[in-house]
Amino acid sequence: MKMFSARTYRFYRALLLILNRIIHPVVHVAGRENIPEGPVILAGNHSSISDPIWIIACADLPVIPRTMAKKELLEKPILGWLLRGLGVFPVDREGSDVGAIKTAMKTIREGSKLLIFPEGTRVRRGKKSEPHNGVMLIATRTQTKVLPVYVTAKKKLFRKIDVVFGEPYLPQTAEKRATEQELTALTEEMMKKIYSLGEGL
């Protein structure tokens, strides 16, 4: 299935944002000016199924960013159709999904933006996560900047939601191809950057 046209994308984006605004009428967005033109990897914390909607809607991008999501979501009949149209592609979280990595790298090389949730699953506030190294693998292989994004982790009905876009940075490695140890260290650094955006909110 092809992605939706820009007009259809804007329609669904607006509709989803309206539905979310009913539940969380006040949304505070900060750092939108940090989003660069051209390719970048948006890496966010993940506590709710609505996180990608908030990030994509609040980023207010003219072109649909591609989003990596667990394959189970795209296997659902109606939801899968909608997600694929919105630029979502599947990843198998049970192993090393080479196909998903290749799709992500192709997205970057074509000049598009990529949204990934490194934790791979929803993590409630205060819980410890085990983030995957995929973001850093893609970033170091393609020499693409990573932009940390924080979305309110504990979402209460009719309470304010914060979406904070940090400053993009380019992960550094000793060699062209990072070692597994380097990827792990870089991933831990990235998660600290993401969660530090939510401190004091």
Side-chain angles (χ1 to χ4, degrees):
M1 174 185 171
K2 292 184 178 180
M3 289 168 58
F4 294 140
S5 66
R7 179 179 296 179
T8 304
Y9 157 61
R10 287 194 294 270
F11 168 76
Y12 278 113
R13 173 176 162 272
L15 178 60
L16 291 170
L17 184 57
I18 289 171
L19 293 175
N20 271 10
R21 280 293 190 99
I22 293 174
I23 301 174
H24 301 285
V26 178
V27 182
H28 175 252
V29 184
R32 187 185 285 128
E33 68 279 2
N34 291 329
I35 304 174
E37 294 184 6
V40 71
I41 301 174
L42 300 163
N45 64 303
H46 195 22
S47 65
S48 168
I49 195 171
S50 64
D51 290 329
I53 298 173
W54 286 118
I55 293 176
I56 292 173
C58 293
D60 196 22
L61 299 170
V63 179
I64 311 175
R66 299 299 306 276
T67 304
M68 182 186 289
K70 62 180 182 179
K71 67 176 184 178
E72 290 80 4
L73 287 177
L74 283 86
E75 291 171 351
K76 300 181 184 298
I78 298 177
L79 179 62
W81 172 83
L82 176 61
L83 292 176
R84 289 180 188 279
L86 290 172
V88 178
F89 62 94
V91 60
D92 186 348
R93 299 180 302 170
E94 299 304 317
S96 179
D97 193 333
V98 177
I101 296 296
K102 287 183 176 180
T103 299
M105 290 184 177
K106 182 174 182 289
T107 296
I108 291 295
R109 288 167 179 150
E110 289 176 345
S112 298
K113 290 177 173 57
L114 181 66
L115 172 59
I116 303 180
F117 296 93
E119 291 162 313
T121 188
R122 284 171 280 175
V123 179
R124 300 302 180 186
R125 186 175 181 178
K127 300 295 183 180
K128 184 176 176 57
S129 66
E130 295 294 338
H132 301 280
N133 293 344
V135 171
M136 286 301 144
L137 175 63
I138 297 165
T140 55
R141 290 281 182 90
T142 60
Q143 285 297 288
T144 304
K145 289 184 176 181
V146 175
L147 192 152
V149 187
Y150 178 81
V151 183
T152 298
K154 193 172 183 180
K155 301 175 179 64
K156 295 182 178 180
L157 290 177
F158 311 116
R159 298 290 184 85
K160 183 184 73 168
I161 289 290
D162 290 282
V163 180
V164 185
F165 297 93
E167 295 184 2
Y169 70 101
L170 185 64
Q172 300 295 323
T173 57
E175 303 293 337
K176 186 175 181 181
R177 290 211 170 193
T179 64
E180 194 65 27
Q181 290 76 14
E182 283 181 312
L183 291 176
T184 298
L186 289 170
T187 298
E188 291 176 354
E189 177 190 13
M190 172 185 62
M191 296 311 301
K192 288 179 181 178
K193 288 179 181 290
I194 291 172
Y195 279 102
S196 68
L197 296 172
E199 293 177 358
L201 294 177

